[in-house]
Structure formats: C-alpha cells, structure tokens
Amino acid sequence: MNLKISALEFIEEVKTGNITVEEFTAKTIDRINQVDDKLHAFLSVNNDAIDQARNIDKKIKSGENVGACYGMPISIKDNMCIKDTKTTCASKMLENFVAPYDATVISKLKKQDAIFIGKVNMDEFAMGLTTEFSAFGPSKNPWNIEHVPGGSSGGSAVSVSSYECIASLGSDTGGSVRNPASFCSTVGYKPTYGLISRFGLISYANSIEQIGPLTRTVKDTAFMLNLIAGVDPNDNTTINNNKEDYLENIDSGIEGKKIGIITEMIGDGIDPEVMTATKEAISKLEGLGAICEEVSLEMVKYSVAAYYTITATEAGSNLARYDNLRYGYEMPVEGYEFNSYISKARKNFGPEVTRRMIIGGFVPSAGHAGKYFLKAMKVKSKLTKDINEAFKKFDLLIAPTVPILPFKIGEKIDDPVSLFLVDINTVTANLTGKPAISIPFKIVNGLPIGIQLMANSMNDKMLLQAAHALEKTVTLPEVPI
Ligand code: GLN
C-alpha cells in the first residue's frame, strides 16, 4: 500500500473502497516504528488509533455519515491540547501534563473523523527553529539526518515529509510552520491572524501566533483550512471568514497578478543556491503570466529585533504560570520559601526558554520599556504600514522562506543571535498579521529549498491559488528515507 498519497487522494481511496482505514492506519504505525528511531518526529503515538480506524470502517460499511477526513492520520504538535492526552510542549515542566480538554482545532477535526496518530516534537514551548531545544532530544531532517529539520514545528514537518502521517498541525509565531516546511520540503501555511482559533494552543506570543497545517500539497492545505478556520467564541481574536471554501477555484492560476519581490529578503546573508532558486521561481511565475518587480520594505531590517523583543515580553508573562505548583514535576516544597522554590523549579526550563524569560522580564520593565518594548512596537506598526502600502500595488509578495539551506545539528546552537537571524524572512507575516505559505521548490545537494508567498489579510484564498500555480511547475525527488 502506498503511504505517499495526499490527503485528497487518501479520501478518494477510502471512499472507493480501494483501502480500508484500518489497513492504512496499521501501515502508518509500521512506518513510524520503522523510521522514527532515526528521525524522532514523535513524542507519543496514539495507542487507540487502530480501534478508531476500525470504528470508521464500520461506519463506512454500514452507510452511516462519515466525517470529511475519513480516518486520515494527522500528527499534532505537542503544544495543542487533546483531551486525556499528554501535552508536553517538549518541556520537562509539562512532562506529565495531561490535557483536560480539546483545543478547538482538535474538536473540529474529531468531528470530521480525523485520527490523531501522535503528538510531535518541537522546540520547548515553540521557542526556536531547529527542534534542538526540545527537552526530549532533536528531530532529524529526513533528507539528511545530520541536518536540522527546522522548527519549532520540526516534528510536524518530519512526520509529513517522511510519510509517518498525511498531514500535521503546527503553530507559527515567527515562522515555526513555514521554516520546517521549507527545510523538509512540505507545504507550510500561516493563515491571516485570527482565521484559526488558538483556544487550546499553549500560548507563546498570543498577539501574533497562529495554528497552521503542514501538508504534501497546497490543495491539502486548502482542505484542512476548510475544516479548521472560522470564528470561535472561545477565542475572541478569531474573525468571521463567512465559511469560505478555500478549495473552490484553486486552479485559477496567477495570470495578471502583480508580485513584489522583497528587496530586504534577498540581500545580505542569502545563500547563492537559495538566490538562484528564488530567481527560478520568479521566472516560472512570470511564465504563468504574473508581473514581478522588486519592492522595498525598509522595516524588515529591524523586524527580527522587534520580533524577539515583543515575543520575549509575551512569553515572560505567559510562562509565569509555570511555577511547578499546579502542574509540573516531582519536587518537594519542604525547606523552601516561596521565591526560592519557584526559582529552583524554573531551573527545569531549557536554555532557550530561560533566555526568553529573562529578556521578557527585563525589556518591559520600568525605566527600560521605552527603549526596548515601545520601540519594537513602533517597528511593528511601521512595518504594517509599509506592507499595507505595498499591497496597494501588489497582489502578492515573494521571498525565499529561509535565506539559507538546512544546516547541521549543533552548528548554530551556541550562537543565539545567528539563529535568530535565520527568521528574517518569516517574522514579517506574523508581526503584520498577513497570511504566508512556504511551497517546496527545489532540492540542492540533497537539501530542500522552499519559496514563500505572502498576501494581504483575508486574501488567503488567492494566496493558496497562487501557491498551487507555483507548485504545479515543480517535480521534486522523493525523500531518501
Ligand atoms: N524562531 C522563532 C522563535 O524562536 C519562531 C518560533 C515560532 O514560530 N514558534 O521565536
């Protein structure tokens, strides 16, 4: 049986009776058992998956209504709550935390008969871009296991690209869906801020993060978005999308569309191979009838600094609740007064989370806020103004998703600033709330390069149409695992 099919193909195969959900699920679990020792995408695997698959097969046989997912195996980043399931955020702090309720995206997918095949690895609390900051060890890039798979939703990208599931949900605060999608050669999508409910997503930086799908094809992303987007009374930042059908007219193409090439995202520090791939993508889009020209977004050069200032501040406040009293790990309170207990308990956070909490306590503090936090907020609003201006002239913006190729595990781990700078092309979409997608484009020396397209807020449908048009121009080799 072929595990390499897309979500839409899987549904067809099940509907026509060519495969049963149980067979496919069993094969998927075999695959996980075969390759995950090497890749470490999964933190836990769902032991009830086969039973759930059997139940769906039964429903199909007896002609009952079956949800749109038809038992499709989906992996979930371990910062989204699935009731009665461990949700660790890849942190020692939540190592034994069992979620008491379902995130909105989870209950929506449950209703559609998705099978959550397992919870997948990530950087601790989604802070990072390589999965090296997972407290449970890094995931490996299936294209070359000496290299990082990207992050923080690294487990999501690895599981999709190495056929351990059909699709995955990740979260993207500054690129965490798009970056690993690019490094592992999958589609990765960060929707318009507010399109998908964050209820049940463990917060890192609420004001800019979104849940997003990682899939094999753009059509699969549109399919997932149809199921999980929409207003949610449990998340008052969600927006009404009027039940848009993102799959409808996905073949519309991009003839006549104006595309801006962001000057600041193809400048200093870009790998020549990534530059060549970007030029090739642009000429393919021109070949399809798009009109491409450069556009400058001056504030992009300050975007990484602003991003890390704002997100550390929000993280500092979000993570203050992890005091090891209401949930946490075994550490007796005897012999401590309150503050020393909390300080000791927080030693269980890894180095990156600790760094963010220290910065997050300092930058908004009295006497310093004007110099750091407020300045960062000014960059955010000027960047938003600039990009809105650009969208008066252009339908879409293009840049490589990541300016460099996937690097080796361990190569940048001791140099946080050089790691932060890898986010230069992704954080703009988060700071401005715009939708952005990474499309697999090329494999160079055995390593993937993804191309990023961005659109104006609520133009998600047009963005997916454009991404689908670009995707159709490329044929890529199979992952060598
Ligand atoms: N690398 C960025 C960070 O560490 C992005 C992470 C994310 O999108 N969750 O904050």
Side-chain angles (χ1 to χ4, degrees), residues 77 126-129 152 171-176 204 307-308 356 423:
K77 185 176 183 178
M127 297 170 194
L129 53 129
S152 62
S171 65
D172 190 312
T173 313
S176 275
Y204 157 21
Y307 167 84
Y308 278 94
R356 308 286 179 105
D423 289 333

Side-chain angles (χ1 to χ4, degrees), residues 77 79 123 125-130 151-153 171-179 204 209 307-308 311 352 356 419-420 423 426-427 430:
K77 185 176 183 178
N79 61 353
D123 289 289
F125 281 98
M127 297 170 194
L129 53 129
T130 62
S152 62
S153 315
S171 65
D172 190 312
T173 313
S176 275
V177 164
R178 289 161 287 152
N179 168 299
Y204 157 21
E209 68 202 357
Y307 167 84
Y308 278 94
T311 54
E352 191 56 31
R356 308 286 179 105
L419 258 185
F420 292 171
D423 289 333
T426 46
V427 297
N430 305 80

Side-chain angles (χ1 to χ4, degrees), residues 69-101:
C69 290
Y70 281 85
M72 172 189 308
I74 297 178
S75 74
I76 304 291
K77 185 176 183 178
D78 210 13
N79 61 353
M80 283 169 240
C81 293
I82 303 182
K83 192 174 189 305
D84 299 330
T85 301
K86 257 196 199 181
T87 299
T88 68
C89 278
S91 179
K92 287 262 182 245
M93 201 52 112
L94 293 180
E95 194 169 6
N96 300 311
F97 173 66
V98 174
Y101 65 94

Side-chain angles (χ1 to χ4, degrees), residues 11 20 28 38 56 193 195 203 305 455 479:
I11 293 164
T20 68
T28 301
K38 255 186 261 162
I56 297 168
Y193 184 76
L195 203 57
S203 291
V479 72

Side-chain angles (χ1 to χ4, degrees), residues 19-60:
I19 55 174
T20 68
V21 181
E22 184 181 346
E23 279 165 355
F24 197 87
T25 310
K27 255 277 170 7
T28 301
I29 291 173
D30 283 352
R31 173 79 180 163
I32 295 172
N33 289 335
Q34 248 169 38
V35 297
D36 213 58
D37 271 356
K38 255 186 261 162
L39 299 174
H40 195 223
F42 284 82
L43 294 179
S44 54
V45 176
N46 174 5
N47 291 325
D48 298 329
I50 297 283
D51 284 347
Q52 291 167 2
R54 264 185 215 139
N55 276 336
I56 297 168
D57 281 331
K58 249 191 234 155
K59 283 211 269 184
I60 297 171

